[in-house]
Amino acid sequence: MEQFFVNEKNQQSDRQSKLLDLEEKLSAATNDADQSEMKLKNCNKVLDQLREGVNTLFNKIGCDAASIGDLLGSNQGISNNNIMLYLGIVEQKTNDLLRLLQYLQHKVHI
């Protein structure tokens, strides 16, 4: 009978040890999830700012929104999926503007 109580006490001690171990793992996993969520929020914030900046630049330099609408099939605005297309159009327009500037500067000096 005494052996039974000793075994029961050992088993209970093992269960508590395993429970503490699981609680520590749960706490660590929860902390990791919280940190990942904060990183995701920060990334989304930066991407929102980037999309807003690209949109502002796109409009200020006079890029044609209709051309991208034709390319995408809709004019849904800048998203994570199409931001590179907008940046490509901004690059093309910037190159055109730089060429125009160079031409005009050359024309003035003649």
Side-chain angles (χ1 to χ4, degrees), residues 13-110:
S13 177
D14 287 345
R15 279 186 237 134
Q16 278 215 286
S17 174
K18 288 179 183 179
L19 180 61
L20 287 174
D21 186 44
L22 289 173
E23 286 175 348
E24 287 175 8
K25 287 180 181 179
L26 176 62
S27 178
T30 301
N31 288 339
D32 287 347
D34 290 344
Q35 287 178 0
S36 294
E37 192 172 322
M38 287 298 291
K39 287 179 183 178
L40 177 61
K41 284 181 183 179
N42 288 337
C43 282
N44 283 330
K45 181 180 177 184
V46 169
L47 285 172
D48 288 343
Q49 293 170 341
L50 180 61
R51 283 190 299 272
E52 186 178 314
V54 169
N55 188 49
T56 299
L57 184 60
F58 187 86
N59 292 322
K60 279 198 180 219
I61 64 174
C63 293
D64 183 20
S67 64
I68 212 161
D70 292 342
L71 186 62
L72 295 174
S74 71
N75 198 2
Q76 66 184 14
I78 299 176
S79 69
N80 291 344
N81 296 327
N82 65 16
I83 194 168
M84 294 306 294
L85 294 172
Y86 278 87
L87 285 170
I89 292 172
V90 166
E91 180 183 19
Q92 288 174 344
K93 183 67 173 185
T94 302
N95 286 333
D96 291 345
L97 291 171
L98 288 171
R99 278 194 292 276
L100 178 61
L101 176 65
Q102 187 178 21
Y103 170 75
L104 293 173
Q105 287 175 340
H106 179 70
K107 189 174 179 182
V108 167
H109 291 334
I110 291 180

